[in-house]
Amino acid sequence: MLKKEDKIAIIGLGYVGLPLAKSFSKYYNVIGYDIDIKRVNDLKKNIDRNIDVDLKDTKIVYTINEKDLKDSNIYIITVPTPVSNENIPDLNCLENATRMVAKYLNKGDIIIYESTVYPGVTEEICVPLIEKNSSLKYNVDFFCGYSPERISPGDKNRHLSNIVKITSGSTPEIASKIDTLYKKIIIAGTYKATSIKVAEASKVVENVQRDVNIALMNEFAIMFDKMKISSSDIFSAAKTKWNFINFSPGLVGGHCIGVDPYYLSFQSMKFGFTPELLLKSREINNSIPKYIALKVMQFINEKKLIKEEAKVLILGYTFKENCADIRNTKVEQIKIELETYSVNVFTYDPYVKLPYTNLEIDPFINNEKYDIIILAVSHNEFRNYTIKDFNRISKEKLVLLDIKGLYKFSTWTL
Amino acid sequence: MLKKEDKIAIIGLGYVGLPLAKSFSKYYNVIGYDIDIKRVNDLKKNIDRNIDVDLKDTKIVYTINEKDLKDSNIYIITVPTPVSNENIPDLNCLENATRMVAKYLNKGDIIIYESTVYPGVTEEICVPLIEKNSSLKYNVDFFCGYSPERISPGDKNRHLSNIVKITSGSTPEIASKIDTLYKKIIIAGTYKATSIKVAEASKVVENVQRDVNIALMNEFAIMFDKMKISSSDIFSAAKTKWNFINFSPGLVGGHCIGVDPYYLSFQSMKFGFTPELLLKSREINNSIPKYIALKVMQFINEKKLIKEEAKVLILGYTFKENCADIRNTKVEQIKIELETYSVNVFTYDPYVKLPYTNLEIDPFINNEKYDIIILAVSHNEFRNYTIKDFNRISKEKLVLLDIKGLYKFSTWTL
């Protein structure tokens, strides 16, 4: 079983790795490694610019020096797994982290992955890499595990410790050992999956389900827009059924839901099966920024504005409400689309700090007036704006395109 | 407002109309009309062969004589709205019922529809028909409403009275009047939709959402089958996340989920928008019987059986668990598919009574032995079968294809 002297190395100190390092550091020696020297220097001063993890009284040793890893016996890899511009899984960070850890691996050590992947990555891609770079043998000299991260950015009530965590390991004994490890820090409890592949798949499955459900709401929204029936009225009515699932139409960005489905479809197609529902959903969700931009142009035409002179304000720039995370935000694409029509686009997001200075000017304090206003992200800060507030910053008659169906007085809702 | 002397006529006494007639008959004079003379004769003897509605002490006047409708002032239409073989909405029953009611309509009367339709049917199809056949003027001489049925067949805990009911009406006053009418019988409360079209759309939207979610589980199941990873293990793991939506792969039949999406897509395409996610989901769900049949043939090949001699037992024949409803059941298609391969197919469903006598022979009492057993519907009666039970009715080694993932000892799960 686990020993007090177990030494855990966390590779990658982002949204996933840092809270994990903090939790484990209460019980174990924890070393936190990242390649980003600025990030590591910040963390050494107990500053987390991502999500303000409180690092006071933690005993994590931060390093950018890979040699510092050599005394660890449990390695947890939490590096990003993005997609390329062609939506192909980009496993470079994962492979680099794996090769690096392999160099310092000793007999009996365990490598656990938390990065979202497709089923098979740990055993078919990482394990051979480890064997090659360590000269150790899998399930004899070293072991692996997979425990998908379930961090929910912007969710004030759900933290690492109160979300059930799935665990798995390369042998039944190692699976139990890994499960015990996580049980120590997860109050909500753990769930031991039947295999590493099952644990890998369970994570992508969740994200695909979310993506497909939002895509369906987007398909409904476009459909009812054509029929000139208010989709938000329809959803409000449907919601009164006990088993209706409460999703909203909108933009799907971020590092998970807009990305992970491509991991699963990539692997599926290697097995000769094209997941058409998954890919169709991606297509629909990717089309929304363009749909919004076209809608804006329609209003510009209806108002008989000269498009080069039209001023459009976008409220919200992050990929999700109530957080500062702008990774893969689709609001940017609305902006880009509109700018190709030579429209003047202004953006405001109270969460987004430097170096995005142009996002920081609060239009309700500023004296600017806009032709069209788009509510793109439903931050709590935006919820209390009244029609009076909007009229004040609106040129002539208010045109408010409300992507999230946040206001009763919207001109148009997705 | 409603008066004690209001007389309600229910047109169509099926799964929807009969419970409605029963509920309203506690407070109002209710006349129940159906074109099926056998059904009406049964009901006159207080016998309901559908879902065993307890009709003792009810004061419904049953009739097949349309002239008996002439004294009613509120008409509720609950006739079937199926699709044709080409999946085109078949509004014949609805149109016939509408024409019939129009003939007996008096000034001030209200016609309420409960049949599932697409947004627009009440106002664009029914209202002109009523005006033509009654010489009365819409919203001057007569009024309309729409209140979608939410009956859940086989659900022992959810009845008409404890499911929130959506109401709507052709004027604000009539909407309130209809809402008050339903409030009387719906303990769970009512929800007044903003328009008839919104109420119509809300119902199809719910069913499409369910269809798409099951289609996604089916897509996952086929995908992981190809990857040789247990999808039921994956779903069990994913389910431990708070927001994972617990759907299962399987057959989608019945009079609602397998049908209603075609209503919405039909109307959407008239507006020039093809709902591709909806249609792709239908395609996937429709492909499942064939997929199961091919899987059976694969096992027959692997077991080196002569297909003409192979005996396959299918457990469950209804469209849904724990009910006798076989409308649009997809189990039939598995049977038909297998029979095209000349395989001998036996079926058993404890819920299905005459005239489906071949379904009544309990294989666990009978002495037959089967090569392959398929669990198609997860009736409660099947849940307690043990591996011993299955071994007893199995030739040689048990091959159990478990579509619903009901057993731990299944050979294969969808």
Side-chain angles (χ1 to χ4, degrees), chain A residues 64 164 192:
Chain A
I64 53 153
V164 174
K192 202 159 59 166

Side-chain angles (χ1 to χ4, degrees), chain A residues 272-389:
Chain A
F273 179 71
T274 304
E276 300 189 37
L277 197 57
L278 180 159
L279 292 172
K280 182 53 69 185
S281 300
R282 286 279 70 237
E283 202 182 285
I284 292 171
N285 287 340
N286 282 340
S287 75
I288 299 300
K290 204 171 208 130
Y291 192 79
I292 305 287
L294 284 170
K295 211 72 210 177
V296 171
M297 295 316 291
Q298 195 182 308
F299 278 99
I300 285 177
N301 282 332
E302 279 171 20
K303 284 189 98 176
K304 298 192 174 40
L305 300 172
I306 297 155
K307 60 183 170 44
E308 286 79 5
E309 292 173 6
K311 286 186 174 179
V312 176
L313 170 68
I314 304 180
L315 294 174
Y317 201 79
T318 62
F319 92 85
K320 195 182 169 183
E321 66 277 8
N322 306 324
C323 76
D325 200 339
I326 58 157
R327 287 177 293 171
N328 190 26
T329 178
K330 297 297 169 195
V331 184
E332 189 177 29
Q333 273 183 264
I334 301 179
K335 190 171 180 281
I336 292 169
E337 287 285 337
L338 286 173
E339 282 167 350
T340 61
Y341 295 108
S342 311
V343 169
N344 300 295
V345 184
F346 301 80
T347 48
Y348 170 59
D349 194 310
Y351 287 82
V352 182
K353 301 285 183 312
L354 286 158
Y356 303 90
T357 37
N358 62 323
L359 291 168
E360 281 189 283
I361 305 150
D362 186 337
F364 296 94
I365 291 167
N366 200 22
N367 255 335
E368 194 70 75
K369 281 181 187 285
Y370 305 92
D371 294 290
I372 290 172
I373 302 167
I374 304 173
L375 184 280
V377 186
S378 53
H379 290 315
N380 285 340
E381 285 77 357
F382 296 156
R383 289 185 182 268
N384 298 326
Y385 290 159
T386 63
I387 188 159
K388 265 193 185 166
D389 293 328

